[in-house]
């Protein structure tokens, strides 16, 4: 029952399918000839990967709890993607058991508490006081901040829409971060060259060009998702005869968790052989961050070609239809990252200006903190001097009392010892 439930969640609940999809997959290189003789994967033992969302744990907990309710699970199995995304399914939350609602209420209170702690920590670092948590909670669109104690249908609707939107933009964000990484790398290279004399600079430029050529000198990369590419996996990774290539068998071999879909993680694993042609972690000229960008591009390309309903999963029917297309048999050549320009000189200049502004702001802040430190040190020294003066004055007064035959007194004037009777 547990396995069937998870499979139904993957097939019709976009939120859950995204959860069960690894957005940053690890290369998998397995002899798939052994898959036929193994027991089916127990879905209950599969750990959903981290989605990268800041509310990832909350999202997983809500899904796990809803999955335990028979009514909601039944409605979920019959719902389609549009019904879920539109919010109609969220209304079914009104009919779940009291036990489930109580658990959801508790999880929401914990999530609100966590968000408030994050807000407080951030504002404390900025030395702000008088926190209006209710107003600041508005920035989190995955939770209904108007009612921090009860989990309602609005909460489920907001959670689904926020996760769907965030995950749809996740790849775009990764591309943007990669572009910044490449610009920063080039910026640092150029800044380093400025520190060298002419002879050393020529040596570094020559070495740089040599490394580029060395990296570009790699075997031809098959078009991702093409027959040639899949047959190479069939032969080299699966250990099967290339003349016996069968798309349906291939699909079943690489549906690792046996759920009837190829998700993003399973798709990205298919590109390992192609990526190994271009990238080797032992080679100085090969950048592993670029390799992951290449893997992402390959997966996006195949998904765009094969995933007809855009649910981030590839069904057997979608897969087989793709193998009938001309692009599958006669694909265009695939341009790897080393054949592309990541940014223009104008973009690099704009990025460098941005870095410069950030550095100026950090320097300004550092100067302010240094001044604050000096002021605090001055106040500390002043207090220490005043304390010393006070201590000396007390000692002088005690000395005078002794000279006058008066018993020394304590801090509040009490006698430190009683005179003999």
């Amino acid at each position: 029952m547990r396995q069937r439930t998870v499979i139904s969640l993957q097939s019709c609940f976009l939120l859950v399918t995204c959860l069960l999809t690894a957005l940053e997959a690890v290369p998998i290189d397995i002899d798939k000839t052994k898959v036929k003789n193994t027991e089916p994967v127990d879905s209950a033992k599969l750990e959903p990967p981290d989605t990268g969302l800041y509310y990832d744990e909350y999202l997983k907990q809500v899904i796990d709890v809803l999955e335990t309710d028979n009514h909601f699970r039944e409605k979920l199995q019959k719902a389609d993607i549009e019904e879920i995304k539109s919010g109609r399914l969220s209304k079914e939350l009104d009919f779940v058991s009291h036990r489930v609602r109580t658990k959801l209420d508790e999880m929401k209170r914990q999530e609100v508490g966590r968000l408030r702690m994050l807000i407080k920590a951030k504002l404390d670092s900025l030395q702000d006081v008088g926190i209006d948590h209710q107003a600041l909670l508005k920035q989190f669109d995955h939770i209904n901040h108007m009612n921090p104690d009860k989990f309602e249908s609005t909460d489920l609707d907001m959670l689904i829409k926020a996760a769907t939107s965030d995950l749809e933009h996740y790849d775009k964000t990764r591309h943007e971060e990669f572009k910044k990484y490449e610009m920063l790398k080039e910026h640092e290279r150029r800044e380093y060259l400025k520190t060298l004399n002419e002879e050393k600079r020529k040596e570094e430029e020559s070495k740089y060009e040599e490394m580029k050529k060395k990296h570009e000198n790699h075997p031809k990369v098959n078009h991702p998702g093409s027959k040639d590419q899949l047959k190479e996996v069939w032969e080299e990774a699966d250990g099967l005869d290339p003349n016996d290539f069968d798309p349906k068998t291939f699909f079943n071999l690489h549906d690792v968790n046996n759920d009837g879909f190829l998700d993003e993680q399973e798709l990205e694993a298919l590109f390992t052989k192609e990526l190994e042609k271009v990238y080797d972690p032992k080679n100085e000229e090969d950048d592993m961050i670029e390799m992951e960008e290449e893997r992402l591009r390959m997966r996006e390309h195949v998904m765009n070609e094969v995933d007809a309903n855009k649910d981030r999963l590839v069904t057997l029917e979608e897969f087989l239809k793709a193998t009938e297309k001309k692009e599958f048999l006669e694909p265009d050549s695939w341009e790897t990252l080393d054949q592309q320009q990541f940014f223009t000189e104008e973009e690099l200049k704009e990025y460098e200006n941005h870095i410069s502004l950030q550095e100026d702001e950090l320097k300004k802040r550092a100067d302010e903190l240094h001044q604050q430190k000096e002021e605090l040190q001055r106040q500390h020294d002043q207090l220490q001097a005043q304390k010393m003066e006070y201590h000396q004055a007390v000692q002088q007064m005690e000395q005078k009392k002794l000279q006058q035959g008066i018993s020394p007194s304590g801090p509040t004037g009490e006698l430190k010892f009683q005179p003999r009777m």
Side-chain angles (χ1 to χ4, degrees):
M1 172 61 75
R2 167 77 182 184
Q3 186 174 5
R4 290 199 299 272
T5 301
V6 174
I7 291 173
S8 71
L9 287 172
Q10 289 176 316
S11 63
C12 66
F13 196 176
L14 182 60
L15 179 57
V16 181
T17 62
C18 292
L19 263 180
L20 298 179
T21 299
L23 295 172
E24 296 185 51
V26 177
I28 299 175
D29 192 1
I30 304 172
D31 184 357
K32 288 298 178 180
T33 58
K34 300 178 181 178
V35 173
K36 299 176 183 178
N37 300 321
T38 59
E39 293 298 321
V41 176
D42 183 359
S43 298
K45 296 178 182 178
L46 294 176
E47 276 296 322
D50 192 330
T51 61
L53 303 176
Y54 66 89
Y55 49 89
D56 175 79
E57 189 62 30
Y58 175 63
L59 182 61
K60 291 175 182 176
Q61 289 175 349
V62 170
I63 292 170
D64 286 343
V65 171
L66 287 173
E67 188 183 352
T68 64
D69 186 85
N70 293 332
H71 171 81
F72 195 87
R73 185 170 61 245
E74 182 182 348
K75 290 293 183 181
L76 188 57
Q77 290 171 344
K78 298 177 180 178
D80 57 27
I81 295 296
E82 281 307 313
E83 187 175 0
I84 295 167
K85 292 175 69 174
S86 67
R88 294 197 300 275
L89 182 68
S90 302
K91 304 301 181 184
E92 297 298 328
L93 188 68
D94 296 333
F95 303 101
V96 301
S97 68
H98 177 71
R99 177 185 59 81
V100 169
R101 289 299 294 268
T102 301
K103 186 63 178 176
L104 290 172
D105 291 346
E106 178 186 346
M107 287 190 301
K108 181 178 179 181
R109 286 191 291 270
Q110 291 175 353
E111 176 69 358
V112 170
R114 183 183 73 88
L115 296 176
R116 285 174 173 170
M117 287 180 62
L118 290 175
I119 292 170
K120 185 178 185 304
K122 181 176 181 179
L123 295 183
D124 282 350
S125 68
L126 300 174
Q127 299 180 345
D128 283 352
V129 293
I131 303 171
D132 184 353
H133 285 111
Q134 196 67 13
L136 292 173
L137 280 171
K138 291 180 181 179
Q139 65 186 291
F140 303 112
D141 56 5
H142 71 286
I143 197 166
N144 178 18
H145 64 90
M146 298 302 293
N147 184 355
D149 299 315
K150 294 290 184 182
F151 190 98
E152 303 167 317
S153 58
T154 306
D155 286 287
L156 182 57
D157 188 34
M158 292 178 68
L159 186 58
I160 292 172
K161 290 179 178 178
T164 301
S165 176
D166 290 343
L167 288 169
E168 284 176 350
H169 291 89
Y170 192 79
D171 287 346
K172 181 181 178 182
T173 301
R174 285 179 62 188
H175 287 311
E176 291 172 351
E177 290 302 318
F178 173 74
K179 184 175 179 179
K180 290 178 183 178
Y181 164 76
E182 289 294 331
M183 289 193 290
L184 179 60
K185 192 165 65 171
E186 177 62 15
H187 168 71
E188 290 179 342
R189 187 185 75 85
R190 295 185 184 187
E191 290 299 305
Y192 172 66
L193 291 176
K194 292 178 183 178
T195 66
L196 305 177
N197 59 40
E198 186 175 353
E199 182 180 356
K200 287 287 185 182
R201 187 162 54 250
K202 286 182 179 180
E203 288 179 8
E204 283 295 325
E205 289 282 19
S206 177
K207 180 182 176 182
Y208 175 72
E209 292 299 325
E210 181 183 342
M211 299 287 277
K212 278 182 63 178
K213 290 179 181 178
K214 190 176 178 182
H215 172 68
E216 292 167 1
N217 185 25
H218 55 72
K220 177 187 175 183
V221 175
N222 290 314
H223 195 97
S226 66
K227 185 175 182 179
D228 289 340
Q229 191 257 311
L230 299 186
K231 280 184 69 175
E232 191 171 62
V233 176
W234 174 273
E235 181 178 6
E236 296 187 20
D238 301 341
L240 300 175
D241 188 338
N243 296 319
D244 296 332
F245 177 77
D246 176 64
K248 184 175 181 180
T249 304
F250 183 91
F251 181 95
N252 292 328
L253 281 174
H254 292 275
D255 176 16
V256 179
N257 58 2
N258 299 316
D259 62 0
F261 303 94
L262 290 183
D263 59 33
E264 293 178 349
Q265 180 181 14
E266 291 164 337
L267 274 180
E268 289 189 359
L270 301 179
F271 311 136
T272 298
K273 287 295 177 183
E274 300 305 316
L275 294 169
E276 286 175 350
K277 296 176 183 178
V278 186
Y279 300 95
D280 185 341
K282 298 177 183 177
N283 294 339
E284 183 183 356
E285 69 273 12
D286 297 337
D287 189 332
M288 295 300 104
I289 293 180
E290 291 181 3
M291 183 184 75
E292 291 308 315
E293 174 69 8
E294 189 78 77
R295 188 191 305 277
L296 173 59
R297 290 177 63 245
M298 288 179 171
R299 186 255 291 165
E300 283 183 320
H301 173 77
V302 173
M303 275 293 188
N304 288 333
E305 293 290 319
V306 181
D307 182 21
N309 63 355
K310 306 304 176 186
D311 64 352
R312 302 174 78 98
L313 295 169
V314 176
T315 64
L316 176 59
E317 182 182 1
E318 289 173 330
F319 184 77
L320 293 179
K321 280 186 178 180
T323 63
E324 298 171 358
K325 297 179 180 179
K326 180 182 177 182
E327 292 81 1
F328 179 73
L329 301 172
E330 302 174 13
D332 297 330
S333 60
W334 178 257
E335 288 191 356
T336 52
L337 286 175
D338 51 52
Q339 299 173 282
Q340 300 182 27
Q341 185 178 2
F342 304 132
F343 52 84
T344 64
E345 282 296 321
E346 290 76 13
E347 288 175 323
L348 178 59
K349 185 176 180 180
E350 182 180 350
Y351 180 69
E352 288 178 327
N353 289 336
H354 178 67
I355 291 177
S356 179
L357 290 173
Q358 285 185 322
E359 290 175 345
D360 290 343
E361 186 63 31
L362 287 173
K363 185 177 182 303
K364 179 182 177 183
R365 180 60 177 159
D367 290 342
E368 290 175 353
L369 290 173
H370 182 69
Q371 291 175 4
Q372 291 177 11
K373 179 182 177 182
E374 289 184 337
E375 177 61 21
L376 289 172
Q377 186 63 47
R378 186 189 66 78
Q379 293 177 7
H380 174 74
D381 294 342
Q382 188 177 18
L383 288 172
Q384 287 296 106
Q386 291 175 354
K387 182 178 178 181
M388 184 63 68
E389 289 176 2
Y390 174 76
H391 183 67
Q392 291 173 350
V394 170
Q395 285 184 327
Q396 291 174 0
M397 289 177 64
E398 295 299 333
Q399 288 292 334
K400 288 182 179 180
K401 289 180 180 180
L402 287 173
Q403 292 172 0
Q404 296 173 5
I406 301 174
S407 300
S409 59
T412 59
E414 73 277 9
L415 293 177
K416 284 189 175 181
F417 60 87
Q418 296 294 331
R420 294 180 181 179
M421 300 299 290

